Amino acid sequence: MPNSANTKRLVIVESPAKAKTISGYLGPNYLVEASFGHVRDLPVGKKDMPDALKSKPWAYLGVDIDNDFTPVYIISADRRKQISRLKDLLKQASEVYLATDEDREGEAIAWHLLETLKPKVPVKRMVFHEITRPAIQAAVANPREINRSLVDAQEARRILDRLYGYDVSTVLWKKVQRGLSAGRVQSVATRIVVERERQRMKFRSADYWDIIARLLPENDTRTFNATLIAIDGDRVATGRDFDPETGKVRPNAGVIHLDETGARGLAARLEGQRFTVTRVEEKPYRRKPYPPFITSTLQQESARKLRISSAQTMRIAQRLYENGYITYMRTDSVNLSEAAIAAARQQIHDLYGAAAVPSQPRRYTGKVKNAQEAHEAIRPAGDSFRTPGDVAKELSADELKLYELIWQRTIASQMNDAVGNSTSVRINAVTPAQESVDFGATGKTITDPGFLRAYVESSDDETAEADDAERRLPVLVKGQPLTEKGLTPTGHTTQPPPRYTEASLVKAMEELGIGRPSTYASIMETINNRGYVFKRGQALIPSFLAFAVIGLLEQHFPRLVDYDFTASMENVLDEIANGDESAVNFLHPFYFGGDTGDEGSVPRQGGLQRMVTERLGEIDARGINSIPLFRDEAGRDVVVRVGRYGPYLQRTLPNPPEGEEGDRAPVPDGIAPDELTPEKVAELFVGGQGGERKLGEHPETGELIVVKAGRYGPYVASGEKTSSLLGSQSPEELTLEQALQLLTLPRVVGKDAEGNEIIASPGRYGPYIKRGTDTRSLADEAQLFTLTVEEALELLAAPKTRGRAAAKPPLREMGADPATEKPLVIKDGRFGPYVTDGEFNASLRRGQAVDTLTLDEASEMLAEKRAKGPAPKKARAAAKKAAPEKKATKAAAAKKTTTAAKKTTTAAKKATPAKKAAPKKATSSRKKAED
């Protein structure tokens, strides 16, 4: 590395945090300074254009569409001071190293710095995918030139998104609502969410039944469960056999739809009958490790396991990268370098033993559609990996959790396959009516957990069985007789397709080839901030505004929200990045039209400019802003209209007389489109016009009392006072007298001897009384108005029952534990069902059900709990004092349990010492493309 005392080399990166880390790896002859992200960009609008260009017809775009789509760049107002500083530092420099990120956007930032600073000294491009001392020194020693093809691709993307965004957004402003935006990727992402909600709105549920048989093999003490699958050779219907839009069995499905009566009758006919094993199939089970993280899979898993958004994931990952803990986090490559593979294999050897290391290194091939970047996968930085315990003192809690996730996934990717056996059993019984009834059971045992000891991937389907879950069956052979020990008819209801979460939406976009690693997080933020979706827990729910916008685009600009078209544009951008295509040759036909593309493509339709201009007059604003729901029992068409002040319901008879608007009712905030069922709509229209019913005036205040409908049900209102209706009341039949009673709630019953108020109030879980923080449930709603002070004091004096009522009976009694002979029962707990022997509890795992859990499985679960011993009591930390530092423990390399990987603490993680709050680190301020 050059080390002349007479020279200074200026290294420019994006962020102060990155600058601080890199400066520690370079000598005193290097000045490392941040640009604070992009230093210049397209103007926001005509007002930001240079005065000489403001009169141009294309000034609002910031792109000279008449001169080969030449962009107009301006220096951002908040970057001018930093540009001046960089120019001052240039005066001291003999060379400039542009060390921005190695992707297209980083290349573009480097080019913009070159164009803005106009240095007179040599300029070199310095690239690296991790910020470690060896990587930085190697990057300085091996610089390259700016890759103009990458710059052109990023510039073309920026111009394309500006043309699409500004011209299509103008249509939305005029036909839907001012302030809306459209985007090449954001609109398609919104369409994906809207289409899922449409499926949910059309969905009709279906009920179906089967039978769970508890069976005991001859000369064995272990029972197992088998499920009814066929009667007289005809398969019994399951959820996949029903049409989601009708709730009926699909035509030609050839199945028997068993209802409750049929299931209970068949179970009764099977009682005491002989069951026989008719088929046993055993196959080897093998599960290969998951590939290391790329941007999309990291966002998906952090959402599932850590419950954080895509944007939060990327902010944390940015800090880890800039401070030298992980490699570059915007990538769609699953490759690992030879050094990384060696580091992972060595760490597996150290932690899990030589037997856990495969004979050959694993190398992965990406399956991402249109994968573009030639980076490494996201992994711990360096040629040797630090365990989460090694870095625990240096990271904040969020940073440590994400680092641990990345470390786990990387290590697991180089471990052995998980292997075991899977068994499929068919069982037959014959009823006295000579019905031949088939049952089936499947089992899975894992003989070597392999990579599952380090990492188990989560699923978007919360009912899906985890990869490390086992289902043990006793040894069975064909012809073996079985004794029936219980037949349980079990009902099921089909469910609508699940709503997208950020994780599953990113996965869908990736599979369609839409978007890029650098855009996923920003797209999630954009569709949230624009009001196109809102969150309920992790689920993304589209707004009615999104329905209107997507409806307009689908009807009048279908190609612009076509999934294949959007992905194909990514292909062209890839070709530009590879130097195989010209940006102008791509942009010109897209905007002005041409004979490129297939029939119906944007160029063949005359180009974006013509499409937007000519079709504007064809768009019926009222029709676009009307989302039809259904026709009610009175023959009225019910629609949601998107108005200036929010969505509202309207119902009218078909072909109403001119001027007849029909009834209107507001749509409560936060209600999901699929929740507007006929029953809910009828409730919202209580009283007809306006969605409220007038009951009369309040005798004391003179204010009007009305019944209204809200998201959480009907309520009465008078002035600023409101009160929800009780469970026994209906909005149609509520009287003025009842409303006046409701408006007295919460009611002060009286005071105790110390002067403390006792209040009666309805609650989420039923009526109750409260004195300070002490509460008691009431027997019924009538007591809200009739309870006396004496009765209240008597209730408060009585011991408080567990929860809100008497202890619930067990969900199921299982019998005596074979290991301890203690009675086992399944109970319903705060966090779901669990099995208990009165001393130890074990929650049912994913894929386990109350009705199907076997006694042996329950016994094994409790045995694991007993082996771990009682949970240590958490000591309450003294106020404002740090907890004493724990001693680091050795890695638990010999641990064999297959469930350990589910926890966020890995086998290799040391006890994490108490940490002081981490100082806030500066984050990169890179501006993302307007996708």
Side-chain angles (χ1 to χ4, degrees):
M1 185 183 299
N3 195 28
S4 172
N6 298 322
T7 61
K8 288 284 186 181
R9 295 168 177 82
L10 177 62
V11 180
I12 304 177
V13 298
E14 296 99 318
S15 74
K18 191 174 175 182
K20 181 180 178 181
T21 306
I22 291 175
S23 64
Y25 299 143
L26 299 175
N29 295 320
Y30 289 83
L31 297 171
V32 186
E33 187 63 33
S35 69
F36 293 91
H38 284 278
V39 294
R40 63 179 195 168
D41 196 7
L42 299 174
V44 174
K46 184 185 294 188
K47 65 180 186 302
D48 294 330
M49 287 283 284
D51 290 339
L53 300 176
K54 284 183 178 179
S55 61
K56 300 292 184 180
W58 45 262
Y60 73 100
L61 291 170
V63 178
D64 186 353
I65 58 176
D66 298 326
N67 187 23
D68 289 340
F69 295 87
T70 303
V72 175
Y73 291 116
I74 61 171
I75 297 175
S76 306
D78 57 352
R79 297 290 184 270
R80 289 171 187 161
K81 183 177 179 181
Q82 189 63 12
I83 290 295
S84 298
R85 173 171 171 74
L86 290 172
K87 287 182 176 180
D88 288 340
L89 292 174
L90 261 177
K91 297 173 184 177
Q92 311 170 37
S94 60
E95 286 181 313
V96 175
Y97 286 83
L98 300 176
T100 51
D101 292 337
E102 61 176 337
D103 59 4
R104 294 176 189 173
E105 191 171 2
E107 204 75 15
I109 293 174
W111 178 76
H112 281 293
L113 283 166
L114 181 65
E115 293 290 304
T116 303
L117 298 175
K118 299 185 180 346
K120 307 296 185 185
V121 296
V123 177
K124 298 176 179 178
R125 178 78 171 100
M126 172 180 162
V127 293
F128 42 87
H129 68 272
E130 64 181 8
I131 303 178
T132 59
R133 187 180 300 277
I136 296 304
Q137 291 176 348
V140 169
N142 300 280
R144 63 167 173 80
E145 299 297 319
I146 288 177
N147 186 327
R148 189 53 206 248
S149 293
L150 290 180
V151 175
D152 288 346
Q154 180 63 22
E155 186 173 73
R157 175 191 293 274
R158 189 76 183 92
I159 294 170
L160 175 66
D161 291 335
R162 174 57 62 91
L163 299 174
Y164 185 122
Y166 274 36
D167 278 2
V168 180
S169 295
T170 300
V171 176
L172 300 183
W173 281 43
K174 293 178 178 179
K175 297 297 182 178
V176 182
Q177 192 177 102
R178 290 186 62 82
L180 297 180
S181 73
R184 183 176 56 88
V185 179
Q186 65 159 285
S187 295
V188 176
T190 303
R191 182 190 172 198
I192 294 172
V193 180
V194 168
E195 284 193 330
R196 177 58 54 86
E197 194 70 11
R198 287 171 178 163
Q199 292 173 356
R200 291 176 63 90
M201 293 169 75
K202 292 178 181 178
F203 177 79
R204 297 294 178 266
S205 64
D207 295 328
Y208 61 97
W209 286 68
D210 56 27
I211 300 171
I212 305 297
R214 189 155 59 94
L215 304 171
L216 177 67
E218 193 175 57
N219 301 322
D220 204 335
T221 59
R222 297 175 299 164
T223 61
F224 68 98
N225 291 335
T227 303
L228 173 67
I229 56 175
I231 302 172
D232 289 332
D234 292 326
R235 189 167 57 84
V236 173
T238 60
R240 68 176 183 272
D241 296 310
F242 294 88
D243 187 323
E245 294 188 14
T246 65
K248 299 183 183 300
V249 174
R250 299 178 190 273
N252 304 318
V255 296
I256 296 174
H257 181 190
L258 206 60
D259 60 12
E260 181 177 4
T261 302
R264 294 194 183 280
L266 180 60
R269 295 192 296 277
L270 285 169
E271 285 183 7
Q273 299 304 306
R274 180 185 180 89
F275 284 69
T276 306
V277 177
T278 57
R279 188 177 71 199
V280 178
E281 291 183 357
E282 292 189 358
K283 295 180 181 178
Y285 166 82
R286 180 174 293 273
R287 179 72 169 84
K288 294 184 181 297
Y290 324 103
F293 279 132
I294 59 178
T295 303
S296 61
T297 53
L298 176 63
Q299 291 177 10
Q300 291 164 38
E301 277 291 85
S302 60
R304 296 166 185 149
K305 291 186 183 296
L306 306 182
R307 298 293 178 179
I308 58 177
S309 68
S310 298
Q312 287 174 297
T313 298
M314 296 311 290
R315 282 194 291 269
I316 297 168
Q318 182 91 28
R319 294 199 299 269
L320 290 173
Y321 166 67
E322 291 179 343
N323 288 285
Y325 292 99
I326 64 171
T327 53
Y328 190 56
M329 65 289 160
R330 294 186 186 93
T331 175
D332 50 20
S333 170
V334 291
N335 294 326
L336 290 177
S337 67
E338 293 301 317
I341 291 174
R345 289 170 64 84
Q346 182 60 51
Q347 197 155 69
I348 295 165
H349 181 279
D350 295 342
L351 297 175
Y352 298 98
V357 184
S359 58
Q360 295 295 324
R362 293 186 182 276
R363 291 178 173 83
Y364 294 90
T365 302
K367 296 181 180 179
V368 177
K369 190 176 180 181
N370 297 330
Q372 71 176 18
E373 309 293 4
H375 306 145
E376 259 197 279
I378 305 169
R379 62 167 177 85
D383 294 341
S384 63
F385 297 161
R386 290 188 285 175
T387 68
D390 293 334
V391 301
K393 290 183 179 180
E394 304 167 20
L395 301 177
S396 69
D398 288 341
E399 291 168 347
L400 180 60
K401 288 177 183 177
L402 193 64
Y403 178 84
E404 182 180 46
L405 204 63
I406 294 167
W407 178 85
Q408 286 176 322
R409 180 84 166 215
T410 307
I411 293 298
S413 74
Q414 291 300 315
M415 294 178 72
N416 282 324
D417 294 350
V419 295
N421 298 292
S422 63
T423 306
S424 175
V425 179
R426 182 68 68 92
I427 299 156
N428 181 261
V430 179
T431 70
Q434 297 303 302
E435 298 162 295
S436 177
V437 184
D438 291 324
F439 288 77
T442 58
K444 183 180 78 174
T445 56
I446 298 175
T447 55
D448 180 0
F451 74 94
L452 294 173
R453 296 161 67 189
Y455 189 81
V456 178
E457 187 174 70
S458 297
S459 170
D460 293 315
D461 181 1
E462 295 185 356
T463 64
E465 184 178 81
D467 285 337
D468 63 341
E470 290 188 296
R471 300 185 305 279
R472 294 183 178 273
L473 290 176
V475 177
L476 300 169
V477 295
K478 184 178 179 180
Q480 184 174 4
L482 306 170
T483 303
E484 172 259 308
K485 290 294 185 180
L487 295 161
T488 306
T490 305
H492 309 272
T493 301
T494 57
Q495 299 298 316
R499 289 193 176 96
Y500 283 104
T501 62
E502 285 196 2
S504 58
L505 180 56
V506 167
K507 182 179 181 181
M509 292 171 62
E510 178 187 71
E511 291 172 347
L512 291 167
I514 295 167
R516 281 294 177 262
S518 62
T519 64
Y520 294 136
S522 63
I523 291 303
M524 297 302 114
E525 281 195 310
T526 297
I527 61 176
N528 270 283
N529 295 340
R530 298 294 186 188
Y532 293 145
V533 302
F534 61 93
K535 282 189 175 181
R536 187 181 295 173
Q538 295 283 311
L540 298 175
I541 301 175
S543 64
F544 286 107
L545 184 64
F547 271 73
V549 168
I550 296 305
L552 184 152
L553 294 175
E554 288 175 332
Q555 291 179 42
H556 299 280
F557 307 99
R559 196 69 169 183
L560 297 182
V561 286
D562 179 80
Y563 300 143
D564 291 337
F565 169 72
T566 306
S568 71
M569 287 196 286
E570 299 288 359
N571 284 334
V572 178
L573 292 170
D574 292 345
E575 292 174 2
I576 296 172
N578 295 331
D580 299 329
E581 177 64 275
S582 159
V584 174
N585 290 345
F586 165 55
L587 292 169
H588 194 280
F590 172 78
Y591 197 68
F592 290 119
D595 57 2
T596 61
D598 57 13
E599 192 64 34
S601 66
V602 172
R604 290 187 181 275
Q605 293 184 60
L608 180 67
Q609 186 185 55
R610 180 178 176 182
M611 289 167 61
V612 169
T613 304
E614 292 186 353
R615 296 183 187 179
L616 186 63
E618 302 172 3
I619 301 173
D620 174 18
R622 182 178 176 83
I624 285 297
N625 288 287
S626 301
I627 298 98
L629 296 180
F630 52 82
R631 180 167 290 181
D632 67 12
E633 293 180 351
R636 294 169 296 193
D637 292 322
V638 180
V639 301
V640 173
R641 297 202 189 279
V642 177
R644 180 181 300 179
Y645 304 108
Y648 62 92
L649 285 162
Q650 187 170 34
R651 60 185 182 187
T652 57
L653 289 168
N655 305 313
E658 188 174 347
E660 176 63 46
E661 290 290 332
D663 295 336
R664 294 187 181 189
V667 175
D669 290 339
I671 198 166
D674 77 329
E675 293 171 347
L676 287 179
T677 60
E679 296 76 21
K680 184 64 179 178
V681 167
E683 179 185 292
L684 293 172
F685 269 112
V686 61
Q689 181 73 18
E692 63 182 38
R693 184 164 72 92
K694 298 174 183 177
L695 298 177
E697 293 184 354
H698 197 293
E700 296 176 5
T701 65
E703 292 175 317
L704 186 65
I705 300 177
V706 296
V707 184
K708 294 186 175 183
R711 177 185 169 190
Y712 301 106
Y715 63 96
V716 293
S718 180
E720 295 182 0
K721 179 74 174 175
T722 62
S723 181
S724 295
L725 270 64
L726 302 179
S728 58
Q729 298 171 330
S730 69
E732 295 82 9
E733 298 175 357
L734 192 75
T735 65
L736 177 61
E737 181 182 0
Q738 290 172 322
L740 289 169
Q741 270 193 323
L742 289 172
L743 291 170
T744 64
L745 298 176
R747 178 175 73 95
V748 177
V749 178
K751 296 183 178 181
D752 65 8
E754 286 75 36
N756 299 309
E757 283 189 342
I758 302 172
I759 298 171
S761 177
R764 181 179 178 185
Y765 302 105
Y768 67 98
I769 56 171
K770 178 179 180 182
R771 178 179 59 184
T773 58
D774 196 12
T775 61
R776 296 290 187 278
S777 295
L778 297 177
D780 55 54
E781 294 172 338
Q783 286 187 294
L784 287 168
F785 310 105
T786 62
L787 193 76
T788 64
V789 176
E790 292 74 21
E791 291 170 333
L793 289 171
E794 186 178 341
L795 271 175
L796 291 165
K800 191 172 186 178
T801 56
R802 183 179 178 272
R804 291 176 293 275
K808 298 178 181 178
L811 298 176
R812 178 181 161 200
E813 296 180 357
M814 303 195 69
D817 188 331
T820 66
E821 297 187 355
K822 292 182 178 180
L824 302 187
V825 296
I826 300 178
K827 292 187 174 183
D828 190 13
R830 180 182 177 189
F831 302 106
Y834 65 96
V835 63
T836 179
D837 62 1
E839 182 179 0
F840 290 93
N841 303 332
S843 296
L844 268 63
R845 299 165 183 159
R846 180 179 294 173
Q848 294 179 328
V850 172
D851 294 331
T852 60
L853 186 73
T854 67
L855 184 62
D856 292 321
E857 289 172 334
S859 180
E860 285 184 21
M861 292 161 64
L862 289 172
E864 290 178 12
K865 284 288 185 180
R866 280 192 290 272
K868 293 178 182 177
K873 294 182 179 179
K874 294 182 180 179
R876 188 173 295 176
K880 297 186 180 179
K881 289 185 180 180
E885 187 174 303
K886 300 177 184 175
K887 294 180 180 179
T889 61
K890 291 184 179 180
K895 191 168 185 181
K896 299 295 182 183
T897 176
T898 62
T899 59
K902 289 183 181 178
K903 303 175 182 177
T904 55
T905 304
T906 68
K909 185 175 178 182
K910 301 176 183 178
T912 306
K915 303 188 292 295
K916 296 180 180 179
K920 190 173 182 180
K921 300 181 178 74
T923 58
S924 171
S925 55
R926 291 175 56 180
K927 185 175 181 180
K928 302 302 172 195
E930 289 178 343
D931 276 347

